[in-house]
Each structure stands twice: as C-alpha cells, then as structure tokens.
Amino acid sequence: MFDVRDMQLLSALAQHRHFARAAEACGISQPAFSARIRNLEIDLGTQIVNRGNRFLGFTPEGEIALKWARRVLADADQLKQEIDSTKGALSRHLVIGVVPTALTHAAQAHAVLRAKHPGLSLQIMSSSSAEIRKGIEDYSFDAGITYHDLDLPAGATAIPLYQERYVLLSPKAILDSEEMANISWAEAAELPLCLLTKNMRNRQIVDEAFEAVGKVPKAVMETNAFTAALAQVFAGASAIIAPERLIASLPQNDDTVRLQLTEPDIDYTIALVTQDRQPVLPAVAALQDALTQNA
C-alpha cells in the first residue's frame, strides 16, 4: 500500500510538472520515481498521470489522489509542528494565496511574524479569489487572504482582518482637484481608468459600484497586477481605483491626487481563510496572530 513517501512524490510532480525535475527534488533517480508512481497507480487501481513524451498532467482520478496526498502531508506536517512547538521551536515555510488588493497587508504582517518566530517564512502568491478557494480546497495553500463575502471552500473557516475601502488615485494632469476631498463614483466613471481584469473580485466590486449609479467606466487598460496599474498613474496615462490601505502604503507623489470614493460609500471585509482543522496548526495560528495585529 502507498505511504507518505508516495504522497511526497505525487506532490512534487504536481509542483514541478516534470518527472526528472520532480525526481531530482525528491532525491531519487527518475526511473525509481516513475516506478513508484506506476506502483501507486496499481495500488489505487487506476491511472493517475497522463503520459506522453513528457508529463501531460493528472487524470481526474489523479487530481483526487493529489488532493488527498496534500492532505496526508499536511497532517504529517501538523504532527511535526505540534511536537516542535512543545520544544519552543516553530520552523515552517507557509504558502499563502493573497488577492492583489491585500498584498501590502500580507507583506507587512510578515515582519511581525518573523520577529516572533524567526524559523517561519512566507511565500506570498498573488492570486484571484477563485485560485485561493481552489488552493485551500486542495491544500496547495496553507492559508488565503481574500474577500469574506465569497462562499468558503468546504471545511474552511474565515477570520475577518479589516475593511477594504476605495480611493481614486489620479495623475494631476488628468484630475487637478485641490479643492476636492472626495469624488463620487459617477464622476470617477468619466475619467480614463486602468482597472483590474474582470476575473478579479476587486474589479467585480468596482463594476457593481458603477452599475449602482448607472455608469459604465472608461477602462482604457486592464491588468491583473496593481504594479502595472500604478505605472499608468505615474506615467500620467490613467487613474485607478484601489484599496485605501494599498495607496496609503505608497510614498507621497506631488504629481498625483488621492480622493475618497463616495456616493455610494463602499467597504468589503478582507479575511484570512484556512482549513478548519483542530487543533489549529501552530504555524497557521502564528500567522493569524501576526495578521490580526497588523489589521
């Protein structure tokens, strides 16, 4: 029957999507790696990997096996973490999926986390809310930072972190508003805007706000990365609608103007989503503590 080592090989194959590289990462030869995967298929009674001249992905049965492999590895890791925590040591590499609007918050929390637990490190993946949901479900993410209003994955729990509110950031060449403190969504719709792509939850929120005031925004550019959107602002090409926390973290720029978006006033809860496991993994509990402190 398969064992934890088989689960490690399967997870490595999913990560590297290449037999030779996955075998190298696991410290065994490629023939030995391939033989163990074939033996796993025999044990399971089904093909789990599509093969050609190279790795072609997992079969539907393979995706199920991969999900359970990651779950087994997560349970084994939890065992090790709990034992390590009794010795006062906490060492772990956490992978978290974060919606682009919350990347700054996650990065700032990392400093708090490392100050208390030097053995912990984070890998922050900029992800859509749908990608985070999938990552939590299949255990490829240890945690996710996403919108609380979305349906949670089965067996997951959410901890509210903060309220996301929205501002307009515009080059003064487009909007010189020395006497304005706020701007309405209807007024913002008339400006050339760089918006996130429509698969992103932030863009859906923005579109819902414009729809509420009967406006269609002038999207002159779309991107799934706020860095590209900010570059448009600093180049004087377009304005953007972004979370207040994200914009507040940027250096002041005399060539831009920042206005609170009103009429309507909108906010959404950003939450930390994890698998609902009892007891909570010590490393995930430490992450929760760091994020709530930084909220």
Side-chain angles (χ1 to χ4, degrees):
M1 193 58 179
F2 48 84
D3 57 23
V4 172
R5 183 58 168 165
D6 293 320
M7 306 297 97
Q8 292 171 336
L9 301 187
L10 198 59
S11 180
L13 185 57
Q15 178 182 354
H16 296 280
R17 306 194 70 79
H18 190 279
F19 279 98
R21 288 196 290 269
E24 182 180 2
C26 293
I28 64 174
S29 68
Q30 182 177 342
F33 184 98
S34 297
R36 288 200 66 143
I37 295 296
R38 289 190 182 279
N39 287 336
L40 180 58
E41 289 178 319
I42 292 171
D43 286 339
L44 293 173
T46 187
Q47 181 179 345
I48 61 175
V49 175
N50 291 315
R51 299 173 179 84
N53 294 327
R54 55 187 176 82
F55 174 73
L56 298 176
F58 292 98
T59 64
E61 294 81 4
E63 292 290 347
I64 294 172
L66 176 60
K67 175 182 176 179
W68 280 94
R70 286 170 169 162
R71 182 169 181 174
V72 168
L73 293 174
D75 286 340
D77 181 62
Q78 183 172 13
L79 169 62
K80 186 177 185 305
Q81 281 190 50
E82 288 194 39
I83 291 174
D84 287 346
S85 66
T86 64
K87 303 173 184 177
L90 199 55
S91 178
R92 180 69 154 77
H93 180 71
L94 292 171
V95 181
I96 62 173
V98 183
V99 290
T101 60
L103 286 170
T104 299
H105 182 76
Q108 291 171 342
H110 184 228
V112 177
L113 181 67
R114 290 277 295 170
K116 287 189 174 181
H117 305 284
L120 290 181
S121 63
L122 289 184
Q123 181 178 348
I124 297 173
M125 305 293 293
S126 179
S127 310
S128 69
S129 53
E131 291 169 338
I132 292 171
R133 178 187 176 88
K134 182 178 184 299
I136 296 296
E137 286 179 329
D138 67 15
Y139 291 84
S140 57
F141 288 157
D142 294 295
I145 300 178
T146 186
Y147 292 90
H148 191 269
D149 66 311
L150 300 178
D151 290 336
L152 293 179
T157 187
I159 298 174
L161 296 175
Y162 63 88
Q163 296 300 114
E164 182 176 273
R165 297 180 178 85
Y166 306 98
V167 297
L168 179 90
L169 184 69
S170 173
K172 287 185 177 178
I174 291 177
L175 180 65
D176 194 354
S177 56
E178 292 184 0
E179 297 183 1
M180 296 173 63
N182 305 311
I183 187 170
S184 70
W185 286 89
E187 292 168 328
E190 303 303 320
L191 301 174
L193 295 170
C194 178
L195 301 174
L196 289 186
T197 50
K198 293 188 177 182
N199 66 310
M200 309 299 288
R201 179 57 181 140
N202 173 267
R203 172 61 185 275
Q204 295 161 11
I205 290 170
V206 167
D207 284 347
E208 288 165 6
F210 282 127
E211 184 178 358
V213 296
K215 292 288 185 177
V216 177
K218 294 182 179 179
V220 298
M221 177 177 163
E222 295 182 338
T223 177
N224 65 354
F226 264 116
T227 50
L230 289 168
Q232 292 294 296
V233 176
F234 297 140
S238 63
I240 65 170
I241 293 171
E244 187 175 34
R245 277 175 173 253
L246 174 64
I247 299 305
S249 70
L250 300 174
Q252 293 291 329
N253 188 313
D254 293 337
D255 296 324
T256 62
V257 60
R258 182 187 310 173
L259 298 173
Q260 195 79 35
L261 277 157
T262 60
E263 300 176 42
D265 294 322
I266 294 174
D267 60 55
Y268 279 78
T269 302
I270 297 294
L272 174 68
V273 179
T274 63
Q275 283 287 349
D276 187 10
R277 306 172 71 189
Q278 298 299 326
V280 177
L281 273 68
V284 171
L287 175 64
Q288 291 175 356
D289 183 57
L291 287 166
T292 52
Q293 282 189 45
N294 196 50

